[in-house]
């Protein structure tokens, strides 16, 4: 990992964070005083990824053209890190015709075929789809890989098991990523999961399993690099569990009354911590940090501007696109 | 049992639909140690749509059980517990997630009693949130009651208001059969969602039952029959009130359950009005609206002064963006226009 | 593409429905390297109901892939491959197993195109065996086409004979949309199952297509319209032949696909006969038979000289014992009696 | 294990074998010359368990009143070993009103609530149900256990994963049994399963996993005893994989053209082998073996007689029992 790599990862993490922070503000801006989830410029459920940037950035740093990512109900960080156009993505979240999906998909259904990016709001169901993408890549003789993401709560869903076994038996180029943010809505990991590391489950499929502790983007980068290389080399799938942090509620509006670890959440924020470590190692200056943030803010501003200025669809457009 | 024989007067205590559901569950739990609740976030959180509000505080983690995200696992476990004589109330958070556990629901929960020749009972309630209207898009906004009602062996209950929600839940828990209890998010009376005032209403404090299988005439009328259910009952009543001002008399039939289906209530009303509008937030084809139309067509099509009108989601997945979603939902405006069309 | 524009004459080469399906798949595979087959026992075994007969020998394990018993896994993988531009033909062994993989089918396969605003295509065929009649009981004898047809985003194809089976399979594979292809075990022409001679028929050797969405008038008639599909077409034709001898002229409409549904074919025939019998091996309520009745009721109920008649499985799980099973299946005897009732 | 235990297990294995052998004969007897699966006194699919007796007998030897067993599409051996009445079971297979389910269930849907026995034709779906039975047993303060059975092919189904995790997190008294007979219809284990022992998967749920080799009823007895004791003692679930043998086709009528190990099947039959070993150790004499077989045959004859003499249901009975 070079100093440039570090800076690039930091920059991407900040870009994502500034995005999520602004979306949060915009989301809440016009829902008061009587808070209504369906109201406002951004309606519906909103699952933000703030705190989980190390996972997306550390993994996607290894991806190239033709590689696929399937993400979850909490998809923004992976979408951005994988190169999905911020304008089109934002316009989708705003339900506009210029959105990735012309307003039909929304924040849990972002589809960008050019970047082979997709996501789904159904727990763990992206895992099998990634196996099929990997089948296609392998059959076509490319060295592309498919990355599939879920949360730690999702690792108790049957689809998880079926996909790992399938990818292992067929030796598919898949990297299975679990973002362990300790919580599945209000249920703590310990109450839902019969082991402390899902990496241990990899052995049941005869594939490598690694758990990365401490929400550390550089450690993620290392572990993901090994998994991606392995997949590209035709050696098959790997499982990567990343211990990360849900900085916010499960979705916006979640009061988190259940959350026992709420007090220490802010101090575990990976971005200030990474900034401090980069400054200590001399890879980042205060001025650079300001610049990175300003650039991110400018890009986010522009994307939101683009979205707001884009037209809303017409009611009758709802009848299109059922069949090709 | 503390329930009265005939449903009591509503009284003057105003309660949301969500709270009414939770109250009914709580009353049954106090009465019967075999009743317990299980599902995702039903514990401290109280159910994402409030269906288990305050139960955790009263009954604790032993009887109000948060589960892993393993719907096949815990719905199957509910079936196993029911087979052993317990009375589990299991929540599937959104009905849209049925696809990860439909085998347990339709091949096991619904069939074991029949397959066993009646030897085994499955006294279980499976409750799930349905419906859209708040931009939750294609995987979190469906109604799907037609899907379940098509499959034999489970009762399907769909309350439209707090009173019925409480009484039907009590009936469902006491029923010796599996009951699928589908509640519309938009009719829960949640503080964080747009709502019709009809989602907060007078509900008795004590336990009572509303019988499963009896439709309600939510409003009497003579010109047009609207057959509907769940949140669309609220919309239809609004429209009926409005059209009354224009001299149009609309009868609103609230089905309240799809299985068993109160066919006679439909036929009696259509016999009176000669005009039938079915309003359904589920997909249009091969579902509820077709079944209701068929009931008339197979009984006596000459009852109809006009062809049947069906207002339902026009066979498209639920889109995200508000103008698109309201383009396909059965809104008050569309209901009103459809009633007028039937009279034109 | 080697297909002819209009379906060719059948010729004189007699082929079973199973073999016709497999031939169509094989022809597409020869033509297009992106087509492959995957499912349980589709390889050396050739598909439990013969749908992949001989394909393994020709194309090998690389393109005719036996899967683990992981329907969510491999149907999801089919979707992923389709999204990347391949054309998988995936077999779900019995449609009854849909419940272990319905999320991939209805929330992913069927919705991705719409959710993506048309940006992503899912050109995949999911084929599954349906139907009963051989004592395979409640979990292995269902038709369930009404369940799938209710859910938007997938075409639903239901051939009744070898010729259509071949032509519809070619159309399904070439379609840019997900197509659910439901074939009745009893119409496959299998050597080990009781069969109607109509399951072995003349089929051209070359590739050809039968369009998806066009019903066929399997037999013309003037007194009664039977709207039906799949194996029940064979029974209905038998009955029509028999009743012709008694001077009753029955028209048999073979729907061939439920999505898209050829509404006009139903209406045209009922306009002619004034009498409608729907014969359906799926469950009666909230399904196909209701939809067909509703089409008439919402278009013009005065077309009907008699109330619509629906002959379907009477909302019970499929029982095991032969007298019980034949008690609830739409047999020739019941079809014949229902036709006569309509004329009484 | 006493000499009596051994003899009892042998006797039960022979009883099951004689049953399956006769059912096979009866099944085929009236389906020729044009073999039709739906014809004859026993119609429909027929999955026989011949060769797998050691699994059922070794496990069920530890069960007592109130213990539950959920079995699969191949259920006869577990049903008989768990005490299901042979007459009522046979009558069910013959579709008679005196059957366990009055002819509604058939061979894949045998329900005997008195013995807490059930089965299902859908792969692996009995596992979650067993978790619920175990919940009920635990809540009621009994020391009963629930046994759930699947094949090795089924261990790649999502329900398997969900049930194991659930039972482990909730510390339920379940014994999960996998009968590994090397084949899932025509698919050999190696082509479907990404590891050589499913016992290894247990570690992913933090529970004990044991694989018993060699289709050895005594080894099964030992391993199952430990698992059942553990469950009764409130120490939670275990996973037990038993390497066993499918002596016949997947279902009757299966020509097994795909089957690479067909030649050696007969010589691996566990019953003659166990008989020989018991004779060698002096636990069984030729005369006893004859007696055991004769007693089994007599019981089976009587059951079949009972079935054949029982009335078939009336068509209109099909409309009953949808709702209680
Ligand atoms: C099959 C299914 N079950 C339940 C849900 C509801 N749900 C959405 S997110 C969530 C929690 C997910 O937890 P985790 O996998 O840890 O991801 P995180 O939200 O922490 O990122 C649940 C239960 C769903 N979307 N799909
Ligand atoms: C969900 C599901 N998928 C597929 C099937 C069809 N099927 C029945 S038995 C079987 C093979 C089972 O293999 P295994 O679990 O090893 O059990 P065995 O038959 O060897 O006893 C299959 C694929 C089914 N019944 N259920
Ligand atoms: Mg989480
Ligand atoms: Mg096996």
């Amino acid at each position: 990992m070079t100093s440039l790599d570090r800076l690039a990862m930091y920059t991407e993490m900040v870009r994502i964070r500034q995005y999520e922070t602004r979306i949060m503000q915009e989301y809440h801006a016009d829902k008061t005083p009587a808070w209504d989830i369906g109201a406002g410029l951004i309606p519906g459920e909103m699952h933000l990824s703030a705190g989980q940037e190390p996972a997306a950035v550390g993994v996607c740093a290894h991806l190239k053209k033709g590689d696929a990512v399937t993400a979850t109900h909490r998809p923004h960080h992976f979408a951005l890190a994988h190169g999905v156009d911020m304008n089109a993505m934002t316009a989708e979240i705003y339900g506009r015709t210029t959105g990735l999906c012309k307003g039909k998909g929304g924040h849990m259904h972002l589809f960008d075929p050019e970047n082979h990016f997709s996501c789904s709001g159904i727990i763990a169901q992206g895992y099998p789809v990634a196996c099929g993408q990997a089948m296609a890549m392998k059959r076509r003789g490319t060295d592309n890989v498919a990355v599939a993401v879920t949360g730690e709560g999702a690792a108790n869903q049957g689809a998880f098991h079926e996909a790992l076994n399938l990818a292992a038996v067929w030796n598919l180029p898949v990297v299975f990523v679990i973002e362990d943010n300790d919580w599945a809505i209000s249920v703590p990991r310990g109450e839902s999961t019969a082991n402390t590391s899902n990496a241990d489950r990899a052995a049941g499929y005869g594939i490598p399993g690694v758990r990365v502790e401490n929400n550390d983007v550089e450690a993620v980068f290392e572990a993901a690099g090994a998994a991606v290389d392995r997949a590209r080399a035709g050696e098959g799938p790997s499982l990567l569990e990343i211990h990360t942090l849900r900085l916010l509620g499960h979705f916006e509006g979640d009061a988190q009354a259940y959350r026992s670890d709420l007090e220490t959440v802010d101090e575990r924020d990976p971005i200030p911590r990474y900034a401090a470590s980069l400054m200590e190692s001399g890879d980042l200056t205060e001025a650079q940090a300001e610049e990175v943030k300003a650039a991110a803010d400018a890009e986010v501003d522009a994307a939101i501007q683009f979205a707001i200025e884009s037209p809303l669809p017409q009611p009758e457009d709802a009848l299109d696109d059922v069949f090709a | 049992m503390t329930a009265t024989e005939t449903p009591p007067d509503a009284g003057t205590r105003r309660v949301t639909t969500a709270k009414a559901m939770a109250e009914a569950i709580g009353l049954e739990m106090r009465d019967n140690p075999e009743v317990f609740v299980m599902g995702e976030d039903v514990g401290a959180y109280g159910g994402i749509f409030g269906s288990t509000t305050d139960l955790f505080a009263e009954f604790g983690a032993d009887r109000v059980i948060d589960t892993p995200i393993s719907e096949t696992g815990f719905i199957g476990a509910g079936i196993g517990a029911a087979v052993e004589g317990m009375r589990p109330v299991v929540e599937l958070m959104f009905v849209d997630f049925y696809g990860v556990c439909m085998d347990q629901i339709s091949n096991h929960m619904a069939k074991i009693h029949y397959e066993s020749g009646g030897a085994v009972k499955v006294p279980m309630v499976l409750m799930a949130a349905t419906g859209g209207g708040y931009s939750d898009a294609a995987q979190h906004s469906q109604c799907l009651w037609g899907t379940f009602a098509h499959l034999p062996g489970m009762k399907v209950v769909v309350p439209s208001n707090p009173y019925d929600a409480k009484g039907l839940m009590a009936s469902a828990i006491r029923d010796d059969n599996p009951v699928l209890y589908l509640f519309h998010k938009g009719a829960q009376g949640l503080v964080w969602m747009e709502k019709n005032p009809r989602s907060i209403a007078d509900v008795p404090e004590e336990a009572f039952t509303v019988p499963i299988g009896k439709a309600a005439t939510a409003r009497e009328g003579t010109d047009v029959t609207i057959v509907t259910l769940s949140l669309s009952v609220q919309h239809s009543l609004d429209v009926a009130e409005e059209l009354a001002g224009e001299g149009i008399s609309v009868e609103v039939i609230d089905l309240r359950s799809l299985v068993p289906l109160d066919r006679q209530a439909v036929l009696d009303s259509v016999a009176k009005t000669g005009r039938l509008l079915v309003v359904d937030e589920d997909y249009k084809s091969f579902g509820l609206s077709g079944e209701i139309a068929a009931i008339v067509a197979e009984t006596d099509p000459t009852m109809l002064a006009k062809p049947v009108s069906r207002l339902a989601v026009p066979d498209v997945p639920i889109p995200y963006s508000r103008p698109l979603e309201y383009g396909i939902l059965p809104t008050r405006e569309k209901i009103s226009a459809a009633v007028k069309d039937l009279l034109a």
Side-chain angles (χ1 to χ4, degrees), chain A, chain B:
Chain A
M1 205 179 314
T2 67
S3 181
L4 271 178
D5 288 338
R6 292 195 171 88
L7 199 59
M9 290 201 293
Y10 176 75
T11 302
E12 189 60 27
M13 282 169 60
V14 171
R15 179 173 173 260
I16 294 169
R17 175 65 58 84
Q18 297 312 99
Y19 187 78
E20 295 295 63
T21 305
R22 269 301 294 284
I23 292 287
M24 179 175 69
Q25 290 161 356
E26 298 290 312
Y27 180 80
H28 289 282
D30 49 4
K31 286 197 176 56
T32 44
W35 204 85
D36 171 8
I37 191 174
L41 282 173
I42 309 178
E45 286 185 75
M46 178 52 63
H47 312 83
L48 296 174
S49 64
Q52 303 189 186
E53 299 86 354
V57 170
V59 170
C60 294
H62 299 283
L63 303 186
K64 64 175 189 183
K65 181 127 194 86
D67 291 341
V69 173
T70 68
T72 69
H73 59 286
R74 196 182 302 290
H76 299 173
H77 53 330
F78 270 92
L80 291 173
H82 191 50
V84 173
D85 181 69
M86 193 188 279
N87 281 359
M89 173 172 153
T90 309
E92 184 58 29
I93 293 170
Y94 278 76
R96 307 296 165 135
T97 57
T98 54
L100 282 173
C101 314
K102 305 190 297 199
K104 292 207 162 95
H107 128 90
M108 286 191 277
H109 311 108
L110 303 169
F111 289 89
D112 176 1
E114 208 186 303
N115 285 294
H116 303 261
F117 181 85
S118 63
C119 53
S120 166
I122 310 291
I123 287 298
Q125 298 286 325
Y127 266 37
V129 173
C131 292
Q133 294 177 301
M135 282 177 83
M137 292 163 181
K138 187 175 168 176
R139 298 178 89 80
R140 287 170 176 166
T142 73
D143 70 346
N144 281 122
V145 305
V147 173
V149 187
T150 70
E152 91 296 338
N156 298 315
Q157 180 75 210
F160 169 91
H161 175 68
E162 296 191 9
L164 262 72
N165 183 63
L166 211 64
V169 186
W170 293 346
N171 201 44
L172 298 174
V174 189
V175 177
F176 295 107
V177 176
I178 300 175
E179 293 186 277
D180 175 8
N181 62 8
D182 295 326
W183 294 92
I185 310 186
S186 71
V187 180
R189 183 205 171 98
E191 279 176 30
S192 70
T193 308
N195 61 11
T196 48
S197 167
N198 276 308
D200 295 348
R201 290 184 172 171
Y205 314 99
I207 64 172
V210 174
R211 182 172 162 97
V212 178
E213 297 291 354
N214 209 25
N215 210 12
D216 174 353
V217 69
E218 297 192 5
V220 174
F221 182 89
E222 295 296 344
V228 170
D229 287 351
R230 188 177 132 85
R232 285 208 204 291
E235 290 161 19
S238 311
L239 178 64
L240 187 62
E241 180 165 72
I242 301 166
H243 192 200
T244 186
L245 173 73
R246 200 185 80 196
L247 204 51
L248 307 170
H250 171 71
F251 37 35
E252 289 310 294
D254 175 5
Q256 301 200 75
Y258 56 80
R259 190 155 173 188
S260 47
D261 68 337
L262 203 54
E263 254 179 36
T264 66
V265 163
D266 284 343
E267 72 204 35
R268 284 181 282 147
D269 187 335
I271 291 188
R273 203 182 56 195
Y274 195 43
S277 125
L278 290 182
M279 285 180 191
E280 204 177 295
S281 63
D283 290 305
L284 181 73
T285 66
E286 285 281 2
Q288 273 176 312
E290 288 297 317
E291 248 172 61
V292 162
K293 197 164 169 229
D297 284 338
E299 189 189 359
V300 173
D301 280 350
I304 288 176
Q305 197 63 23
F306 173 78
I308 290 175
E309 286 170 1
S310 294
L312 282 163
Q314 296 300 310
E316 58 274 20
D317 298 344
L319 302 180
D320 302 336
D321 297 323
V322 179
F323 290 116
Chain B
M1 287 288 155
T2 52
T4 52
E5 283 292 299
T6 46
D9 272 356
T12 59
R13 196 186 56 122
R14 296 184 65 73
V15 164
T16 64
T17 307
K19 184 67 187 155
M21 285 176 69
E23 273 185 12
I25 299 170
L27 286 164
E28 297 304 308
M29 289 178 78
R30 274 183 225 157
D31 228 42
N32 184 348
E34 302 287 7
V35 179
F36 70 96
V37 179
M38 144 165 92
E40 291 156 15
D41 307 285
V42 297
Y45 200 105
I48 297 296
F49 301 103
S51 53
T52 59
T53 305
D54 296 338
L55 295 179
F56 186 76
E58 180 174 353
F59 298 100
D62 198 50
R63 291 184 71 196
V64 185
I65 306 169
D66 277 332
T67 62
I69 311 175
S70 307
E71 286 85 357
T72 287
F74 69 78
I75 292 175
I79 295 167
V83 156
E84 295 296 321
M86 302 199 72
R87 293 190 172 264
V89 179
V90 183
E91 179 161 284
L92 174 64
M93 190 189 286
F94 288 70
V95 75
D96 311 70
F97 307 157
Y98 78 110
V100 304
C101 50
M102 190 59 166
D103 186 71
Q104 287 293 346
I105 298 172
S106 70
N107 268 335
H108 293 86
M109 184 183 87
K111 287 185 187 160
I112 285 175
H113 182 69
Y114 186 83
E115 288 174 331
S116 75
V120 179
K121 290 190 184 119
V122 188
M124 158 170 173
V125 179
L126 180 63
M127 58 181 176
T130 67
Y134 61 101
S135 286
D136 219 358
Q139 296 176 333
H140 291 77
S141 303
Q142 301 169 99
C143 289
L144 295 180
W145 37 61
T147 299
F148 295 94
H150 179 55
L151 301 166
M154 58 191 139
K155 298 188 177 177
V156 180
V157 162
V158 277
S160 72
N161 62 62
Y163 185 94
D164 287 349
K166 184 165 180 176
L168 286 168
M169 179 59 84
S171 294
I173 295 172
R174 295 177 198 180
D175 203 300
D176 276 344
N177 297 289
V179 179
L180 181 67
Y181 183 109
L182 297 174
F183 58 97
H184 198 295
K185 292 162 251 175
Q188 287 290 85
L190 302 170
V191 293
W192 46 278
M193 210 177 270
E194 192 191 343
K195 66 196 140 296
N196 193 304
R198 300 179 196 277
S199 296
I200 306 176
D202 297 337
V203 179
E205 204 156 349
E206 72 268 27
F208 64 95
T209 58
V210 167
I212 297 175
K214 285 287 308 160
T217 304
R219 182 187 173 99
E220 295 200 8
T222 52
D223 295 336
V224 173
T225 298
I226 297 181
V227 172
T228 186
L229 72 172
S230 190
L231 181 64
S232 296
V233 173
Q234 301 190 356
H235 298 332
S236 297
L237 289 172
D238 291 347
V239 169
E241 284 178 9
E242 190 192 297
L243 292 182
E246 302 178 32
I248 300 173
S249 171
V250 177
E251 179 146 307
V252 179
I253 304 293
D254 178 353
L255 290 171
R256 295 202 291 196
S257 77
L258 299 190
V259 181
L261 182 63
D262 191 346
R263 296 165 56 98
Q264 200 53 51
V266 173
L267 292 169
D268 288 347
S269 181
V270 177
K272 187 165 72 170
T273 64
R275 288 173 167 81
L276 171 61
L277 168 64
V278 188
V279 179
D280 183 12
E281 199 186 312
D282 196 1
Y283 303 115
K284 182 169 183 175
S285 294
F286 303 90
L288 169 70
S289 65
E291 184 62 25
I292 301 296
I295 287 172
V296 180
E298 73 185 351
T299 305
D300 181 4
T302 66
M303 290 164 81
L304 295 167
K306 278 277 197 137
V308 174
S309 174
R310 299 198 274 166
L311 178 60
V313 173
D315 299 329
V316 305
I318 314 291
Y320 164 71
S321 187
R322 200 170 176 90
L324 297 173
E325 187 181 16
Y326 279 80
I328 56 95
L329 287 177
T331 56
R332 290 184 194 81
E333 296 66 41
K334 289 180 213 161
I335 297 170
S336 181
V339 168
K340 288 180 180 169
D341 273 359
L342 275 173
L343 291 166

